[in-house]
Every structure is written in C-alpha cells, then in structure tokens.
C-alpha cells in the first residue's frame, strides 16, 4: 500500500476502473463504512490518520503505529462484513502470503488481527508515486527508468514462481516507483494449487492473458500470466498507453 492519489483497492476485472482517492472529506462516504477520522483508534496502538480508499470488502487507512513510531497502512474489513467468512478467509489468505513472501520488491506486513472487532492487516507505508501516476502526468518512461523497472519486476516474479504463487494483477497502479520499485496488492494472488480450482476471470482486463480471462477453455493459469501482465505494464510504461485498445 502507498500514500498516493491512486490508492490500490481490491483486484478488479474492469479495464480502466477508476482508482482515485475518495473525495476530500473527513469521513468515508460509502454506506456501512467505519467512518474513522484523524485521531480515532483502529485498534490498540493504531490511530487513524485518513482514509485512503474503500472497496467492496475492505477499507484502507493511513495510520500511526505507536510502538513502531511510524506511519503504516491498515487494511480493515468493512463493518458489515466482520462476521463474513468469505471476507475473513480472503484477508487471512493475503496475510499468509505476505508473511511468507519476503522479497525486496514486494510489500511487507507488520502483523494482523483476524478475531477482533476490526479484523485488519498492518502494511508497510511506501513513499513514492505509482507508475500509473507517472505515466498519466509525464508520459512514457525514459529508458534509464524502464530497464531497472523491468529487472526489478522480473526479480519479484521469479521469486513468486519459486514459491508457487501467481500475483494475477501486475499493472501500473500496483507498482510504487522507488529504489527499488515495489509490487503491491496480493489481494487476489493465488498459489498454484488454488489456481487449479479457479473457473472464473480474475484480474484487471487490460493486463490479463487469454487463459486468465477464460480459465475453463484457455487455462490453466500459471506464472506465465504474471509475465504477460509485466509485459503489458512495461509496454504501457514505454509507450504511454495500454497495449490493447479499450
């Protein structure tokens, strides 16, 4: 997660789905939200600073962690889904992957609570613009930026493949530019074993290979899906537009 004007929400199939921050207001506007404002306690030692984004299952807050004396990002299950087994299982799966996948290019986690009044995971707060923001504001990347980005993403994908995990949502809005660049959002990542049971499209259309769009007739989905997503992302970064028309 990152503090930016395009907070990463949950994975979506919708090509070009808006990922902008919520309107400038002290409180979340979606019905059923926690409506936490600056200074509200999310959990012991975790104080809300501001809402970064909201999806169907989770809300994401910039927060202050007292023990670490640092800003963090907290992904919280929405109040109407605190007792929802599917939402809790999804968060538990993401937490398990975050704990397991320690790599310099991947986002880190700093603990989680699944059985409290506000089930949540605490994530690293990254300073830096999203790749999607850079492309939108300044156009294509320079070669000096593009080459290290490709190498860093390839490093992360190689590691994920050795761990038998597929990210499934490699795209510009899930990359925080820095040294190194960071690949974020494991909310829809799946293990090789889990992918054997996937029968529906999963990901973001503009960066999905055919087998990810139609696993039943074009599958199986493998690590090659992340290679496709990375290729589409690097094309977007090099050309300033998506590789496929809307």
């Amino acid at each position: 997660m990152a503090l930016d004007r395009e907070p990463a929400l949950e994975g979506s199939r919708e090509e070009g789905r808006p990922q902008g921050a919520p309107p400038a207001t002290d409180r979340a506007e979606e019905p059923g939200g926690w409506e936490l404002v600056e200074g509200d306690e999310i959990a012991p030692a975790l104080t809300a600073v501001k809402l970064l984004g909201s999806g169907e299952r989770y809300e994401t807050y910039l927060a202050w962690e007292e023990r670490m004396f640092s800003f963090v990002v907290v992904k919280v299950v929405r109040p109407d889904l605190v007792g929802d087994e599917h939402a809790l299982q999804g968060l538990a799966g993401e937490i398990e992957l975050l704990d397991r996948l320690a790599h310099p290019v991947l986002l880190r986690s700093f603990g989680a609570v699944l059985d409290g009044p506000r089930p949540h995971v605490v994530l690293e707060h990254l300073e830096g613009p999203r790749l999607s923001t850079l492309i939108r504001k300044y156009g294509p990347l320079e070669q000096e930026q593009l080459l290290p980005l490709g190498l860093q993403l390839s490093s992360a994908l190689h590691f994920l493949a050795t761990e038998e995990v597929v990210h499934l949502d490699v795209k510009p809005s899930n990359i925080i530019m820095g040294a190194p660049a960071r690949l974020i959002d494991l909310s829809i990542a799946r293990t090789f074993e889990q992918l054997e049971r996937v029968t529906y499209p999963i990901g973001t259309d503009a960066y999905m290979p055919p087998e990810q769009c139609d696993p039943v007739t074009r599958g199986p989905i493998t690590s090659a899906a992340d290679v496709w997503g990375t290729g589409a992302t690097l094309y977007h970064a090099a050309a300033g537009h998506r590789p496929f028309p809307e």
Side-chain angles (χ1 to χ4, degrees):
M1 297 291 174
L3 176 60
D4 194 77
R5 299 187 187 278
E6 290 183 78
L9 306 182
E10 299 168 64
S12 168
R13 289 196 65 243
E14 299 176 29
E15 179 176 350
R17 184 186 66 159
Q19 303 236 0
T25 177
D26 286 336
R27 296 188 177 271
E29 293 196 350
E30 291 197 28
W34 288 110
E35 298 187 344
L36 299 175
V37 298
E38 184 175 0
D40 286 349
E41 182 182 82
I42 300 175
L46 276 176
T47 304
V49 176
K50 70 174 182 178
L51 179 70
L52 294 177
S54 182
E56 293 180 2
R57 298 182 188 174
Y58 312 106
E59 292 180 351
T60 305
Y61 287 88
L62 177 67
W64 179 256
E65 217 287 352
E66 292 289 344
R67 289 165 295 188
M68 293 192 295
F69 209 67
S70 177
F71 286 113
V72 294
V73 170
V74 183
K75 184 173 181 177
V76 191
V77 176
R78 293 176 64 85
D80 55 321
L81 295 175
V82 165
D84 185 88
E85 183 178 352
H86 194 57
L88 293 175
Q89 286 179 347
L91 186 62
E94 184 175 359
I95 292 166
E96 181 182 354
L97 287 178
L98 285 164
D99 289 343
R100 170 180 157 193
L101 300 174
H103 186 278
V105 180
L106 298 176
L107 190 70
R108 294 180 295 171
S109 68
F110 299 119
V113 174
L114 286 174
D115 56 359
R118 291 193 179 111
H120 65 273
V121 58
V122 181
L123 302 168
E124 181 179 13
H125 166 55
L126 298 174
E127 298 278 1
R130 295 176 188 273
L131 175 57
S132 54
T133 301
L134 290 183
I135 296 170
R136 187 180 69 248
K137 289 184 176 180
Y138 305 111
L141 264 59
E142 299 291 337
Q143 183 176 342
E144 292 78 7
Q145 296 172 294
L146 199 60
L147 180 58
L149 174 61
L151 292 173
Q152 290 155 12
L153 291 177
S154 296
S155 171
L157 295 192
H158 173 78
F159 173 71
L160 288 173
T162 63
E163 292 292 317
E164 298 188 349
V165 173
V166 183
H167 186 282
L168 293 174
D169 207 19
V170 181
K171 59 184 179 182
S173 61
N174 276 343
I175 297 168
I176 306 299
M177 297 298 288
R182 306 290 290 277
L183 179 62
I184 66 172
D185 196 357
L186 292 170
S187 61
I188 64 170
R190 299 288 189 274
T191 64
F192 287 3
E193 182 180 0
Q194 290 170 331
L195 282 172
E196 293 176 0
R197 301 189 293 273
V198 171
T199 57
Y200 48 86
I202 181 171
T204 302
D205 284 350
Y207 306 94
M208 290 164 56
E211 67 272 20
Q212 199 172 333
C213 298
D214 186 3
V216 174
T217 60
R218 295 178 178 269
I221 302 173
T222 67
S223 294
D226 283 349
V227 176
W228 176 292
T230 300
T233 294
L234 293 174
Y235 181 101
H236 193 167
H241 58 81
R242 298 188 185 112
F244 305 105
E246 295 186 12

